[in-house]
Amino acid sequence: MARYKLGLLAGAAALMASISAVSARAETVSMFCSATDYELCEKGAAKWSKTSGHEVKINRMPQNLDDAIPIYQQLFAANSADVDVLYIDVIWLGMFKDHLADLAPLVPEDEVKAHFASATDAARLEDKLVAMPFYIDTGLMFYRKDLLEKYGKQPPKTWDELTATAKEVQDAERAAGSPDIWGYVWQGRSYEGLTCDALEWIASSGGGTIISNDGEVSINNPKAVEALTRARDWIGTISPQGVLNYDEEASRAIFESGNAVFHRNWPYVWGTSQAEGAGLVGKVGVMALPVGAAGEGSSGSLGTAYLGVSKYSKKQDIAADLLRYMVGLEDQKMRAIEGGYNPTVAALYEDKDVLAKIPFLEMAKAAFEESVARPSAVTGKNYNRVSRTFYRAVHEIISGADDVAGTVEQMARRIERDVKASD
Ligand code: GLC
């Protein structure tokens, strides 16, 4: 009896040893981190590395996410196993779905359910869960609370009110000895960010979302023309000429140096502008974007970020383990507290530590619920082509086109062709 027991124990010990030998073999997994949140991404990966014993090799994505598309395309075309975990912009889900592993068997259902259903549902394509949500991005309006108070102004509710308040405060501040201040800075460069800004002006003015959910190209309408004309007229009056070349970071730099009254950007600007030692601590207010006319819903563009596992990864299990940590509650909480990133894990919207750092989280959640999606689901692989046609035409308009209606009409005809492209 005693010998039998001993034998059993020895067998169990041998089994345990062999299990831990397998899991202890340190592997290296490789992931992409976006340039904007690189340090936080690196910190999360390092934490996982410490507990898992595996290494993470991090690749920094280009500053402008558009520039990552050809890099991904090359990796996928080569069936490359070089990168295991990928950062996926919401508009890429349809474009890259065929190259992403199905996460349904790799991520336990209760972990999936911890996220806002709308965010995970958007990543369920053709019976696969192609990615998991990492953080929510919705267009928000940041403003100089101190300056609005100084001039007795309320945060504006419509774009026309914003235009008037921006002009008044800008002119008064210039007269008071701040010659470099502008009323409003945003993203006017010819790139995906301009698609987001312009979609917001148009959708919040009742001009639709470029292409309707059932696939009809709807951009050629008077409300869209009016919204684009209003934006064109901002240049040189409340927005500097330089806006035509600003992306998120360039426009943020102007705002955070104290040279703008209003600033449209994503939630991370709360983190940067309120970081210890930053120049605008305590002086910034955040609100949902204005609307075109009373009665329209606020329409921040939806920019949720996701993580996915490459279908060509040779280490999908370990990659999924890293992904689960990075999108999980602990890491999202760290990112919210240290960087102002808005979580996709619903429970964090009731977390005291997070609420203490992001006091407008409830408002951001409402803005997220009202947000508008770019037409990437309905265009799938052609989204990038459609968006490029759109932002190039918008850029032409805001650069001073006289015939806004004609430019929109021509843009609509091109988009009709883009949606039918088959390569
Ligand atoms: C942000 C958004 C993303 C959008 C990009 C445009 O990164 O999260 O969805 O495409 O800005 O510049």
Side-chain angles (χ1 to χ4, degrees):
M1 184 65 182
R3 266 180 50 198
Y4 170 65
K5 247 189 180 165
L6 216 70
L8 244 181
L9 280 175
L15 187 68
M16 294 296 286
S18 73
I19 289 174
S20 64
V22 170
S23 59
R25 196 186 328 120
E27 297 273 3
T28 301
V29 280
S30 162
M31 82 178 288
F32 271 115
C33 288
S34 94
T36 316
D37 63 342
Y38 189 83
E39 279 76 26
L40 292 175
C41 184
E42 197 176 36
K43 186 168 175 179
K47 186 93 191 272
W48 174 82
S49 209
K50 214 162 159 196
T51 46
S52 70
H54 299 298
E55 294 264 328
V56 186
K57 180 173 165 278
I58 299 181
N59 306 282
R60 183 193 282 266
M61 298 177 76
Q63 172 69 47
N64 184 340
L65 286 179
D66 299 5
D67 298 334
I69 297 175
I71 300 176
Y72 278 24
Q73 281 168 336
Q74 264 178 27
L75 282 168
F76 295 146
N79 291 5
S80 167
D82 287 353
V83 181
D84 304 289
V85 177
L86 299 145
Y87 173 102
I88 307 282
D89 190 347
V90 60
I91 50 169
W92 301 348
L93 290 168
M95 206 148 72
F96 293 143
K97 66 178 182 345
D98 297 343
H99 306 287
L100 296 169
D102 182 10
L103 296 178
L106 298 169
V107 181
E109 193 53 29
D110 59 324
E111 288 179 27
V112 177
K113 284 209 176 102
H115 297 260
F116 289 127
S118 56
T120 45
D121 285 352
R124 290 185 202 276
L125 300 171
E126 288 164 13
D127 293 332
K128 283 199 321 185
L129 177 63
V130 300
M132 282 289 288
F134 191 29
Y135 60 87
I136 286 174
D137 255 356
T138 309
L140 294 175
M141 189 64 75
F142 297 85
Y143 61 93
R144 289 288 298 280
K145 210 169 56 176
D146 58 328
L147 293 182
L148 261 53
E149 274 162 18
K150 179 170 169 192
Y151 295 101
K153 297 283 167 202
Q154 291 301 314
K157 296 243 178 334
T158 66
W159 290 111
D160 285 343
E161 280 169 30
L162 175 131
T163 309
T165 305
K167 181 87 172 71
E168 224 178 299
V169 176
Q170 164 193 293
D171 291 353
E173 279 296 288
R174 284 186 187 172
S178 302
D180 296 331
I181 198 160
W182 285 93
Y184 184 33
V185 290
W186 39 282
Q187 296 79 43
R189 177 180 162 168
S190 186
Y191 80 125
E192 183 62 28
L194 180 55
T195 292
C196 298
D197 285 44
L199 177 68
E200 289 162 352
W201 315 323
I202 295 171
S204 67
S205 304
T209 56
I210 311 169
I211 300 178
S212 67
N213 287 343
D214 53 17
E216 190 205 334
V217 178
S218 60
I219 186 63
N220 189 13
N221 69 76
K223 289 186 169 156
V225 171
E226 198 185 313
L228 290 167
T229 308
R230 182 174 49 222
R232 179 197 66 184
D233 295 345
W234 288 333
I235 311 283
T237 56
I238 58 168
S239 305
Q241 200 72 30
V243 142
L244 296 171
N245 204 26
Y246 288 171
D247 59 8
E248 284 84 357
E249 288 294 84
S251 52
R252 175 173 79 82
I254 302 290
F255 181 66
E256 290 184 2
S257 67
N259 283 329
V261 185
F262 292 98
H263 176 40
R264 181 266 176 221
N265 211 320
W266 309 101
Y268 79 100
V269 168
W270 181 252
T272 55
S273 68
Q274 301 307 300
E276 225 180 286
L280 295 183
V281 175
K283 296 183 177 169
V284 175
V286 188
M287 63 180 190
L289 293 174
V291 296
E296 296 294 343
S298 175
S299 309
S301 283
L302 180 66
T304 314
Y306 289 81
L307 294 182
V309 169
S310 165
K311 194 171 97 178
Y312 313 107
S313 162
K314 299 265 187 313
K315 302 162 189 163
Q316 289 189 6
D317 285 344
I318 304 173
D321 200 61
L322 168 60
L323 175 146
R324 284 169 59 194
Y325 179 73
M326 300 289 290
V327 304
L329 185 138
E330 180 178 307
D331 191 60
Q332 287 207 1
K333 180 167 174 170
M334 181 278 285
R335 297 169 56 85
I337 289 174
E338 293 187 22
Y341 282 84
N342 288 194
T344 59
V345 172
L348 290 173
Y349 285 70
E350 263 127 54
D351 185 292
K352 284 197 190 62
D353 305 330
V354 174
L355 286 165
K357 279 286 183 181
I358 315 180
F360 59 89
L361 204 59
E362 264 306 305
M363 183 279 289
K365 187 174 161 206
F368 161 63
E369 278 156 6
E370 285 201 338
S371 61
V372 276
R374 284 162 276 174
S376 55
V378 70
T379 49
K381 296 201 168 66
N382 283 329
Y383 173 74
N384 206 26
R385 205 186 290 262
V386 168
S387 180
R388 201 182 307 126
T389 301
F390 178 71
Y391 65 64
R392 282 184 180 161
V394 171
H395 196 263
E396 200 180 311
I397 291 170
I398 60 176
S399 301
D402 288 328
D403 183 11
V404 179
T407 311
V408 170
E409 198 188 324
Q410 202 180 48
M411 169 221 293
R413 274 203 303 273
R414 291 205 176 115
I415 293 179
E416 294 277 5
R417 279 208 301 271
D418 292 337
V419 292
K420 292 187 197 116
S422 56
D423 58 327

